[in-house]
Structure formats: structure tokens, C-alpha cells
């Protein structure tokens, strides 16, 4: 091994359990939100907040089930993930109700795997796959705005008897149609605090769906990347083929002209000599 090769830093290998770092972070953050919702469901808080937490937990449960299924299908053999990598804890954490507490093991695993992979490698992965990462960021932000926008707007609206956003279901429905910028108008805030939240939710929704539209446009309209395995290599030249000469430069052409002129002068002198020689 040369000194230059020894001086090069060794690249950290990705752990076998680790999928794309951005995806693992996405799953870990969803686990945090799910545990937050679990805490809301057992703490002495308003029923409207508990209703919002239960509604938001429905898509989270669906995402965790998809994550478990994907990891199980990727594992060969299946027992490696299910037993050795404790995939059975993921299965339990993917179930609703009291099983949500097992989702803490997802957060622990994500933290461990990302720590093993290293911050520099995670940053490099973010930069390389920034388009796909943008989609995960949008999905996560939609869930965050949906939940906390609903909680805050119902907190302000329930203080006014004339408000039409009174339940957790009303708040989630209003937040969803506001994020998508549809705005049916059947539910709307009337208090100053609620309208302030509406401005924030609407502005965030426009930005998020703008990013989502840009991602989809790039995904469907961008030219396909060239597969390096299908690139045809140039055929090697045959050893019997005549070598291709490079074109002469201006200096070489001038030298050739001088040689031709010299040959013509010598030829004319020889003709003159032959013509004047009487013995010729």
C-alpha cells in the first residue's frame, strides 16, 4: 500500500439495517409525533385535542405498517429482519391503540443507525438525493401543520360561543382543506387568534404544495438518467487498420510549398541544360 492510499480517509459503510438516511429520519420524526399523540390521549387535556390526536394517528399507523411491510420484503431471509433486527417490535408498534408505545423502539433504532453512519455521510446523502428528500420534508410538514394547526385553531375558537369549529374533527377538516388551498367555507375561524392561525396555515399550504408540484413536474418531465450499464463503449481500432493522420499545420504546408518550388526550379534548370547541350 502506498503512502497516498494510506492517507485517504476510509468511507463509513452504511449499516445493513439503514435505508436512505432521509427516510430513516422521516420515520423517526413520525415516531416522535406518534408518541406525542399517545401522551395527549392519556393526559388530562381537552377532548378536542384528544380527538385531533386520534385522527392524525390514523395516517401515521398506515405509514408505519407500510414501513414494516417494506422492510420485511427487502430482508432475505425474512427472519433476519423479523428476529435478529427485532422487526417484531416494528410490527407491534404499527398497530393502533396501546401498541403505539412500541414505536419508541423505532426512534431508538433510527438514532443508533444514524449515529453509526455519521453526520458527514448523512449530509452527503441529503445533497445527493435532495429531490426525493424534498418530498419527505413536504409530507412531514403537512402532518405537522395539520395536527398543530388543528390544535391551535380549536383552542382559540372554542372560546367563542358563535364559533363553528367546535370539535377535533371540525378542526382537522378545516386544516386539511386550508393546507390544500381548497377552502370549502363550511368551517372557518371567527376569532382573532383563529384567523391568525388561518393565515399561517394557508401560507404554509401554498408553499408546501408548490414544492410538491415542482417535485412531480421534475419527476415526470425530466429526461431519464442514462444507465451506465447500457452505454456502448467505442470499438477498439483494428491493428490492421491504417492509422489516421492528423491534418498538417500551416507551418508544415509552407515547408511543403517551398520544397515543391525548389523541385520545380531544379527541373527547369535541368531542362535548360539539356536543351543547350549539342550532344543531347
Amino acid at each position: 500500500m502506498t503512502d497516498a492510499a494510506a492517507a485517504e480517509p476510509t468511507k463509513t459503510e452504511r449499516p445493513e439495517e439503514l435505508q436512505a438516511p432521509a427516510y430513516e429520519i422521516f420515520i423517526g420524526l413520525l415516531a416522535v409525533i406518534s408518541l406525542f399523540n399517545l401522551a395527549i390521549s392519556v393526559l388530562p387535556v381537552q377532548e378536542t385535542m384528544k380527538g385531533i390526536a386520534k385522527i392524525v394517528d390514523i395516517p401515521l399507523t398506515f405509514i408505519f405498517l407500510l414501513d414494516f411491510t417494506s422492510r420485511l420484503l427487502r430482508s432475505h431471509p425474512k427472519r433476519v429482519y423479523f428476529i435478529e433486527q427485532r422487526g417484531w417490535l416494528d410490527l407491534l408498534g404499527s398497530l393502533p391503540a396501546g401498541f403505539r408505545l412500541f414505536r419508541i423502539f423505532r426512534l431508538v433504532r433510527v438514532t443508533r443507525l444514524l449515529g453509526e453512519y455519521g453526520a458527514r455521510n448523512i449530509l452527503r446523502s441529503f445533497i445527493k438525493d435532495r429531490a426525493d428528500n424534498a418530498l419527505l420534508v413536504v409530507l412531514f410538514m403537512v402532518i405537522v401543520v395539520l395536527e398543530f394547526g388543528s390544535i391551535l385553531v380549536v383552542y382559540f375558537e372554542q372560546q367563542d360561543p358563535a364559533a363553528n369549529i367546535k370539535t377535533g374533527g371540525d378542526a382537522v377538516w378545516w386544516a386539511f382543506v386550508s393546507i390544500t388551498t381548497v377552502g370549502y367555507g363550511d368551517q372557518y375561524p371567527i376569532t382573532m387568534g383563529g384567523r391568525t392561525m388561518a393565515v399561517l396555515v394557508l401560507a404554509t399550504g401554498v408553499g408546501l404544495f408548490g414544492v410538491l408540484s415542482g417535485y412531480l413536474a421534475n419527476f415526470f418531465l425530466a429526461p431519464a438518467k442514462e444507465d451506465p450499464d447500457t452505454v456502448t463503449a467505442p470499438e477498439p481500432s483494428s491493428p490492421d487498420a491504417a492509422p489516421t493522420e492528423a491534418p498538417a499545420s500551416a507551418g508544415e504546408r509552407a515547408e511543403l510549398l517551398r520544397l515543391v518550388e525548389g523541385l520545380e526550379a531544379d527541373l527547369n534548370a535541368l531542362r535548360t541544360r539539356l536543351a543547350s547541350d549539342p550532344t543531347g
Side-chain angles (χ1 to χ4, degrees):
M1 181 182 296
T2 63
D3 296 339
E8 293 181 357
T10 58
K11 185 177 179 181
T12 305
E13 295 184 358
R14 176 182 294 186
E16 182 181 358
E17 302 177 57
L18 182 67
Q19 297 191 26
Y23 175 76
E24 296 289 0
I25 294 175
F26 173 72
I27 292 296
L29 292 176
L30 292 187
V32 173
I33 295 178
S34 180
L35 293 173
F36 173 78
N37 292 340
L38 178 61
I40 289 178
S41 63
V42 298
L43 292 176
V45 296
Q46 300 172 355
E47 290 298 324
T48 52
M49 293 183 61
K50 292 185 177 182
I52 293 172
K54 291 179 180 179
I55 294 173
V56 174
D57 196 66
I58 294 174
L60 296 183
T61 300
F62 182 69
I63 292 174
F64 287 135
L65 280 172
L66 286 179
D67 176 67
F68 167 76
T69 304
S70 173
R71 294 178 188 272
L72 184 63
L73 294 177
R74 288 171 179 266
S75 178
H76 299 287
K78 302 294 187 291
R79 62 175 302 276
V80 172
Y81 166 66
F82 195 79
I83 303 298
E84 297 179 8
Q85 299 177 3
R86 296 179 175 84
W88 59 276
L89 292 174
D90 290 345
L91 175 61
L92 293 178
S94 301
L95 302 177
F99 291 101
R100 289 179 292 173
L101 184 60
F102 286 95
R103 294 174 187 176
I104 193 173
F105 292 103
R106 291 180 182 267
L107 182 59
V108 172
R109 183 185 61 202
V110 168
T111 304
R112 174 179 58 82
L113 292 177
L114 293 178
E116 293 177 1
Y117 196 47
R120 181 175 300 179
N121 292 322
I122 294 173
L123 179 60
R124 187 183 299 113
S125 175
F126 264 89
I127 296 174
K128 179 182 177 182
D129 303 321
R130 52 187 176 273
D132 295 334
N133 297 340
L135 178 62
L136 295 176
V137 171
V138 168
L139 293 177
F140 174 72
M141 289 303 300
V142 166
I143 295 174
V144 170
V145 174
L146 180 67
E147 175 161 356
F148 291 96
S150 302
I151 291 175
L152 291 175
V153 78
V154 79
Y155 170 78
F156 290 115
E157 290 299 297
Q158 68 183 357
Q159 301 175 13
D160 192 324
N164 57 60
I165 301 178
K166 299 180 179 180
T167 66
D170 293 340
V172 173
W173 169 250
W174 168 83
F176 182 77
V177 297
S178 298
I179 292 174
T180 57
T181 67
V182 174
Y184 283 109
D186 54 346
Q187 306 289 345
Y188 54 89
I190 62 174
T191 64
M192 181 58 67
R195 289 177 176 176
T196 302
M197 285 305 308
V199 171
L200 297 176
V201 170
L202 287 169
T204 306
V206 170
L208 292 177
F209 275 83
V211 174
L212 181 60
S213 301
Y215 172 82
L216 293 177
N218 179 74
F219 179 80
F220 287 107
L221 300 180
K225 295 182 179 179
E226 190 178 50
D227 189 354
D229 297 333
T230 61
V231 176
T232 304
E235 296 183 359
S237 58
S238 173
D240 300 332
T244 303
E245 296 182 358
S249 63
E252 292 175 343
R253 288 197 297 269
E255 182 66 23
L256 289 175
L257 288 175
R258 286 194 295 269
L259 291 175
V260 171
E261 292 173 354
L263 290 175
E264 289 180 349
D266 294 340
L267 182 59
N268 291 332
L270 181 60
R271 286 175 179 175
T272 303
R273 181 179 298 176
L274 292 174
S276 62
D277 189 359
T279 61

